[in-house]
Amino acid sequence: MGGPEVKRRPGGRSARVRAAVLDATFALLRSRGLEGLKIAEVAERAGVHETSIYRRWGNRENLLLDALLEVTEGLRVPDTGDLREDLTAYARDLAAFLATPLGHALEHALAAAGDDPDAQRARDRYWDTRSARSRQIVTRAIERGDLPDTVDPRLVIEMLVSPVHFRVVLTREPVDPDMPARIVDTLLGGIARG
Amino acid sequence: MGGPEVKRRPGGRSARVRAAVLDATFALLRSRGLEGLKIAEVAERAGVHETSIYRRWGNRENLLLDALLEVTEGLRVPDTGDLREDLTAYARDLAAFLATPLGHALEHALAAAGDDPDAQRARDRYWDTRSARSRQIVTRAIERGDLPDTVDPRLVIEMLVSPVHFRVVLTREPVDPDMPARIVDTLLGGIARG
DNA sequence: ACTCTAACGCAAGCGGACTTGCTTTTCGCG
DNA sequence: CGCGAAAAGCAAGTCCGCTTGCGTTAGAGT
């Protein structure tokens, strides 16, 4: 994303521009909010021409996505050795982030993004760097023998994480603080018995 | 939504206009797709002035939402008396609908919609008419004694439904045909034991 | 049948996302 | 060092969502 893979070919003030634009995007995202952010302002604040932004990112959505995803990169995955604890912590962190204005913005941008290659790349990046690593929580539990190896790590994580996303993007209710724990319990114990 | 509650006050070609616009929106949604749909075209095809649309629906998103939600209204909730069967059928139907262009459009519009009263109303309508009824599947199971009354119907339904939405709006992968059944099994049996 | 007003028709225009054609700058590489 | 190409600067313009300030019309209530 963000233009052709940090092309270091001829003419390379690329990096400088990219950083400046992304910084400006963040700053304006904070002050103006998602809807109030105009790429003309971003360009001015970044000391860059509007056209440069469009040529690199293609459209507003992709820029937003690129900027927002940068936040996600540094997410740490809990690893205490206890499945319930790890899952709960992870879901709680996610819920907390999504409750943030930036979190809302990310969800919004992600859902609104189109189907062009750049957007798809952004989605993959999001999923890969955030949720795929979270899958390790389940994988490790299986390796420890805490979980039967018949469970599908991906399905488990999706069932854990998606209800939180669901409330944020769909019903748009505040996420109940103990929701993560309840989801984990339901997931672990099942509902068929007591 | 869709203007002030079907106001039947003085001057009431309201209904006619509303129907015409919604019809036109559908038609163009099918031919042009979500992105290609321009409200100017809708107005022309509906034999209505653009301003009329904006005054009634406020913006493009709300119109889309209103039109799309109409499709959802007629959803039937399975009631065979068997929980697993009902849940699976429901999830399968949902997945099938979301795989549709119209389904994609709905998700898109729903996620992209703002926070104004109209949009919130649309979200509520969506959730109320579609998912709240689906909660009855769980409620009935509890009443039959098939499920302990300690389970939270809403949470169960969300855990069932949201992974499907999740893939559609977030990772945007095709939904595996047997995914619903696997979700239901996981939900019923839990993952902690075999 | 008359009135009164919300809803529609219409023209004009604004803002901001995106495009295009062209020039100028930067910097990797020979 | 200097050449060649990708990237940035710049100007002008298009398109479409959305707004505004009117005048016009339909139809519910009396």
Side-chain angles (χ1 to χ4, degrees):
Chain A
M1 261 246 59
E5 313 288 331
V6 191
K7 236 177 204 165
R8 291 255 165 281
R9 290 288 164 280
R13 43 256 131 105
S14 304
R16 211 220 103 233
V17 171
R18 178 180 156 84
V21 170
L22 254 35
D23 281 356
T25 303
F26 269 125
L28 290 174
L29 215 44
R30 271 185 245 279
S31 52
R32 299 261 195 293
L34 184 59
E35 338 245 294
L37 182 143
K38 302 154 212 289
I39 56 103
E41 286 181 334
V42 174
E44 191 188 355
R45 174 154 189 154
V48 157
H49 233 86
E50 208 175 330
T51 3
S52 301
I53 297 183
Y54 275 110
R55 277 203 256 261
R56 180 182 289 258
W57 281 276
N59 57 42
R60 200 188 110 116
E61 282 175 354
N62 287 149
L63 170 62
L64 254 350
L65 240 45
D66 198 20
L68 256 3
L69 289 186
E70 208 106 297
V71 190
T72 306
E73 309 286 61
L75 192 83
R76 55 183 178 72
V77 177
D79 181 13
T80 65
D82 179 68
L83 176 64
R84 166 176 266 116
E85 203 170 316
D86 284 355
L87 284 180
T88 310
Y90 182 75
R92 199 190 338 101
D93 286 355
L94 175 65
F97 170 69
L98 290 182
T100 285
L102 248 52
H104 266 97
L106 213 207
E107 286 302 310
H108 201 99
L110 223 30
D115 287 311
D116 56 297
D118 276 347
Q120 188 56 52
R121 201 145 38 208
R123 266 188 291 274
D124 290 348
R125 182 173 153 204
Y126 177 83
W127 179 245
D128 287 352
T129 63
R130 169 181 271 262
S131 299
R133 288 191 315 190
S134 72
R135 229 176 303 171
Q136 295 177 348
I137 298 175
V138 178
T139 309
R140 284 195 301 257
I142 296 177
E143 284 165 358
R144 282 196 307 266
D146 293 353
L147 241 40
D149 61 1
T150 51
V151 307
D152 177 357
R154 175 165 186 187
L155 187 66
V156 171
I157 285 297
E158 284 185 2
M159 287 181 70
L160 171 75
V161 157
S162 59
V164 179
H165 283 262
F166 189 73
R167 290 218 181 171
V168 173
V169 310
L170 202 56
T171 70
R172 230 167 270 195
E173 299 164 286
V175 176
D176 197 2
D178 67 337
M179 189 187 185
R182 283 165 58 220
I183 296 176
V184 172
D185 287 341
T186 307
L187 211 44
L188 288 173
I191 58 174
R193 49 199 204 154
Chain B
M1 264 245 61
E5 313 289 331
V6 191
K7 237 175 202 167
R8 291 255 165 282
R9 291 285 164 283
R13 40 253 132 107
S14 304
R16 211 220 101 229
V17 170
R18 179 180 156 84
V21 169
L22 254 35
D23 281 356
T25 303
F26 269 126
L28 290 174
L29 215 44
R30 272 185 243 276
S31 52
R32 297 261 194 295
L34 184 59
E35 341 245 291
L37 182 144
K38 304 155 211 290
I39 55 103
E41 287 181 332
V42 174
E44 193 188 353
R45 174 155 189 155
V48 158
H49 231 87
E50 208 174 331
T51 3
S52 300
I53 297 183
Y54 277 110
R55 276 203 258 261
R56 178 181 292 256
W57 281 276
N59 58 41
R60 200 190 112 116
E61 283 175 353
N62 286 152
L63 170 60
L64 255 349
L65 240 45
D66 197 20
L68 256 3
L69 289 186
E70 206 106 297
V71 189
T72 306
E73 308 288 59
L75 192 82
R76 56 183 177 73
V77 177
D79 182 12
T80 66
D82 180 68
L83 176 63
R84 164 174 269 118
E85 202 170 317
D86 284 355
L87 284 180
T88 309
Y90 183 75
R92 196 186 344 99
D93 287 355
L94 175 64
F97 170 68
L98 291 182
T100 285
L102 247 52
H104 265 97
L106 211 206
E107 287 302 309
H108 201 100
L110 223 31
D115 287 311
D116 57 297
D118 276 347
Q120 187 58 50
R121 203 149 30 211
R123 267 188 290 276
D124 290 349
R125 181 173 153 203
Y126 177 83
W127 180 246
D128 287 353
T129 63
R130 168 181 272 263
S131 300
R133 287 192 313 190
S134 72
R135 228 176 304 169
Q136 295 178 349
I137 297 175
V138 179
T139 308
R140 283 194 301 256
I142 296 176
E143 285 166 358
R144 283 196 304 265
D146 293 352
L147 241 39
D149 61 1
T150 52
V151 307
D152 177 357
R154 175 166 186 183
L155 187 66
V156 171
I157 285 296
E158 283 186 2
M159 287 181 70
L160 170 76
V161 157
S162 60
V164 179
H165 283 262
F166 190 73
R167 290 216 180 172
V168 173
V169 308
L170 202 56
T171 69
R172 231 166 270 195
E173 299 163 287
V175 176
D176 196 3
D178 67 338
M179 189 187 184
R182 284 165 57 221
I183 296 175
V184 171
D185 287 341
T186 307
L187 211 45
L188 287 174
I191 59 174
R193 54 204 200 148

